[in-house]
Amino acid sequence: MSSTATSSPKTFRVKSFGCQMNVYDGERMAELLAAEGMSAAGDGDDADLVVLNTCHIREKATEKVYSDIGRLRREDGSAPMIAVAGCVAQAEGEEIMTRAPSVKVVVGPQSYHRLPEMVAEAASGKRATETDMPAEAKFAALPKRRKSAPTAFLTVQEGCDKFCTYCVVPYTRGAEISRPFSDLVEEAKLLVAGGAREITLLGQNVNAWTGEDDKGRSIGLDGLARALAADPDLKRIRYTTSHPNDMTDGLIAAHGELEKLMPFLHPVQAGSDRVLKAMNRSHTADSYLKVLDRIRAARPDIALSGDFIVGFPGETDAEFEETLRLVDAVRYAQAFSFKYSARPGTPAATMPDHVPAAVMDERLQRLQAALNRDQLAFNQGSVGKTCEVLVERKGKHPGQWLGKSPWLQSVHFAGEAEIGQMVTVKLVEAGPNSLAGQLV
């Protein structure tokens, strides 16, 4: 299919939806385009090329892509070149081309290294689609990392072999692959040289990462974290998203032994064993709690987070109450919660006994009330502590700065500081979503 040729774009904007891995991918696409001589459009300026880097996890996120496509038309009737990337592109490539004629490029998350040449094809009048999954080829083709923010993402593992029944990731990101150790060490060094002081290791099942170190020894994520921590200019290491079944003895021990590995952990979906089994999560509420007991023994101040799904097909009132009891037992420092949304092609979409929307709404409100209660309590329990804060940006008020505590809390304070600096702060006031601190 072809269309009228246009001039090659000189400026671009990448808009990423969804998870941190999409943020990482968006940064890499921006670096690819910059390497071709294009410039990022300034705030408020029109871009010649707009890349919508999409998420396919929830239905509203998919529809939002089409809404954004429609809104990209300018007041004079013109429009930028539009490229749709990411998981929606992978899952619905042909439908996008049919439903949105203004889209000129569709590229999946394992093929975005081809974005510059696909943009060139579109400029010549051809609509370009690429949804193959050559995972290793992508990373080998990406440019070297350059300037970085104080906090940076580093994808170490992609894809998923778990096949949770509600999830599209195995179909949009492919099978699990672990990037080579040497490549990750090199990219981390470049990020630190570019200004990063904290690196978050990313993966759909990040703690399933395996590799061989520079001496040929088999290692897991804990070994990778220890190797990265050897860089004196890297101050903090985090990782997400983990799976309870992949919490190895070595990784649990690292939480107690590796000072740079931050005390924050993020797994879980529900508290009912029957629902977990229907989700194909392959763990029980009890086995999950036992993992948490071991982690807390290694690192008593660990902050816990999770993603909760309410209204999974067949979930009863009693099973939802089991999730509330799990929340009461764990006391999460942070958590995300969502109503179940059927994704086409997943086994859960064809399960019987879908929960009515009104019931899901009521359950979500109750769950979020409990989670908000615990988040505020965790923040209030931090008041009086003195900790290191990594300064990320200026605050809303003159002389104010904003950064993160070791427990991933937002902390604002006033005084002499600069972006990228580690400062010592006493936490003096807590709100539901942030804390106030004083420089020590």
Side-chain angles (χ1 to χ4, degrees):
M1 188 180 299
S2 64
S3 59
T4 305
T6 61
S7 59
S8 298
K10 301 294 191 296
T11 62
F12 68 88
R13 176 172 288 111
V14 179
K15 184 175 182 179
S16 292
F17 305 82
C19 68
Q20 295 98 326
M21 293 188 74
N22 263 21
V23 174
Y24 173 89
D25 289 346
E27 292 172 352
R28 302 300 265 143
M29 282 187 270
E31 291 167 354
L32 278 166
L33 297 171
E36 295 295 314
M38 297 175 62
S39 301
D43 291 341
D45 294 337
D46 288 336
D48 301 329
L49 167 68
V50 175
V51 181
L52 300 176
N53 185 30
T54 61
C55 171
H56 201 261
I57 296 300
R58 295 190 300 281
E59 184 177 6
K60 287 184 179 179
T62 304
E63 290 305 312
K64 185 173 173 56
V65 175
Y66 291 104
S67 297
D68 272 30
I69 291 169
R71 283 196 295 267
L72 287 173
R73 186 162 295 279
R74 301 167 182 143
E75 290 185 5
D76 64 1
S78 64
M81 180 188 293
I82 302 172
V84 177
C87 291
V88 174
Q90 184 70 38
E92 304 182 19
E94 292 302 322
E95 182 178 349
I96 292 169
M97 283 298 198
T98 301
R99 184 172 168 181
S102 59
V103 173
K104 305 305 178 187
V105 174
V106 172
V107 59
Q110 302 298 4
S111 303
Y112 67 72
H113 57 290
R114 291 199 58 235
L115 182 60
E117 61 188 275
M118 296 176 74
V119 169
E121 287 181 40
S124 72
K126 301 175 182 177
R127 299 179 78 193
T129 303
E130 179 61 82
T131 54
D132 286 344
M133 290 192 178
E136 287 298 332
K138 174 179 74 176
F139 290 108
L142 296 175
K144 301 292 185 184
R145 307 305 301 268
R146 297 184 183 276
K147 188 176 180 180
S148 176
T151 62
F153 293 131
L154 173 55
T155 292
V156 304
Q157 179 271 341
E158 277 200 308
C160 184
D161 296 339
K162 299 292 193 289
F163 286 91
C164 297
T165 56
Y166 54 81
C167 186
V168 297
V169 165
Y171 314 105
T172 59
R173 291 272 183 174
E176 286 183 7
I177 63 112
S178 293
R179 294 182 61 193
F181 171 84
S182 58
D183 292 0
L184 297 173
V185 171
E186 179 186 9
E187 187 170 338
K189 287 181 177 178
L190 290 172
L191 286 169
V192 173
R197 295 296 169 261
E198 174 182 294
I199 291 178
T200 299
L201 309 178
L202 300 179
Q204 267 83 32
N205 286 311
V206 66
N207 53 337
W209 182 89
T210 58
E212 291 187 351
D213 66 12
D214 51 10
K215 296 182 180 179
R217 297 172 298 194
S218 295
I219 58 171
L221 190 68
D222 57 302
L224 175 62
R226 292 178 189 275
L228 299 185
D231 188 333
D233 293 324
L234 178 61
K235 304 301 182 184
R236 291 177 167 181
I237 299 169
R238 303 184 189 272
Y239 62 90
T240 195
T241 294
S242 55
H243 193 287
N245 286 8
D246 293 321
M247 290 301 300
T248 64
D249 293 343
L251 187 55
I252 291 172
H255 274 283
E257 299 166 359
L258 192 59
E259 185 177 353
K260 292 184 179 181
L261 184 59
M262 291 295 96
F264 190 87
L265 188 65
H266 179 84
V268 78
Q269 256 72 34
S272 161
D273 287 350
R274 191 206 65 80
V275 171
L276 288 169
K277 184 176 181 180
M279 289 177 169
N280 197 33
R281 286 294 291 170
S282 67
H283 63 87
T284 65
D286 183 63
S287 67
Y288 166 72
L289 290 172
K290 286 179 178 176
V291 168
L292 297 191
D293 286 343
R294 294 175 61 206
I295 292 167
R296 280 175 162 156
R299 185 68 192 254
D301 67 335
I302 194 84
L304 297 169
S305 180
D307 289 321
F308 287 91
I309 298 172
V310 301
F312 189 79
E315 182 188 64
T316 65
D317 289 339
E319 288 166 345
F320 173 69
E321 293 291 340
E322 291 183 86
T323 293
L324 291 180
R325 286 197 291 273
L326 180 76
V327 168
D328 289 343
V330 174
R331 301 290 178 178
Y332 291 93
Q334 298 179 22
F336 302 94
S337 52
F338 316 96
K339 292 180 289 186
Y340 169 75
S341 174
R343 308 314 298 136
T346 60
T350 60
M351 288 180 178
D353 302 322
H354 278 240
V355 178
V359 175
M360 286 199 286
D361 288 339
E362 188 270 341
R363 289 178 185 172
L364 184 63
Q365 290 175 22
R366 292 178 62 196
L367 175 61
Q368 289 181 340
L371 295 171
N372 292 339
R373 172 203 67 198
D374 292 344
Q375 180 170 320
L376 176 60
F378 185 87
N379 287 347
Q380 289 172 334
S382 301
V383 172
K385 290 182 178 179
T386 298
C387 66
E388 295 293 301
V389 169
L390 174 59
V391 183
E392 295 183 13
R393 61 184 185 274
K394 291 183 177 180
K396 294 181 179 179
H397 306 292
Q400 187 185 62
W401 300 93
L402 190 69
K404 291 291 196 303
S405 77
W407 306 279
L408 205 62
Q409 299 152 305
S410 293
V411 179
H412 57 85
F413 63 92
E416 294 294 325
E418 59 184 46
I419 293 172
Q421 184 180 5
M422 298 287 295
V423 297
T424 303
V425 170
K426 183 177 182 180
L427 304 175
V428 296
E429 185 179 348
N433 299 307
S434 66
L435 294 102
Q438 293 176 347
L439 285 174
V440 175

